[in-house]
Amino acid sequence: MFLWLKAFHIIFMVSWFAGIFYLPRLFVHHAMSNDVATRERLTVMEGKLFRFVTPFAWLTVLLGFAMVATNFDFYKTQYWLHTKIALV
């Protein structure tokens, strides 16, 4: 019934993690660059990427809570969820 919640949760999580994995690459290029124009361009790119993926993080968390709220009786007995929430 609420499979669209799970689908969007996964889509936003994958998008968020793609940004998380790309951001350190930009940081490395920024740190290794000697050209001022390149460093300024990378600074702009880092800021834009961070602002772009931050809503995906919030949507991932909100949709995760929505999934739990729609079927709380099931999820409260699932100990993998308690572990996942503790680690996240």
Side-chain angles (χ1 to χ4, degrees):
M1 182 172 166
F2 293 101
L3 285 179
W4 63 272
L5 279 174
K6 189 181 295 187
F8 281 117
H9 176 73
I10 292 171
I11 289 168
F12 289 133
M13 186 266 312
V14 169
S15 301
W16 174 32
F17 272 75
I20 287 175
F21 289 139
Y22 189 63
L23 196 56
R25 183 177 179 97
L26 290 176
F27 290 152
V28 168
H29 286 300
H30 187 143
M32 295 178 67
S33 175
N34 294 325
D35 184 30
V36 176
T38 303
R39 293 186 116 197
E40 290 175 0
R41 187 178 325 121
L42 287 169
T43 301
V44 170
M45 289 173 64
E46 292 160 359
K48 285 184 178 183
L49 180 63
F50 182 74
R51 285 189 303 275
F52 183 73
V53 299
T54 301
F56 294 146
W58 285 108
L59 287 168
T60 300
V61 171
L62 290 174
L63 288 173
F65 282 134
M67 283 191 303
V68 171
T70 56
N71 199 0
F72 184 71
D73 291 333
F74 171 73
Y75 284 114
K76 72 179 178 182
T77 62
Q78 302 301 309
Y79 294 109
W80 61 267
L81 183 64
H82 301 143
T83 305
K84 177 181 177 179
I85 292 172
L87 291 175
V88 170

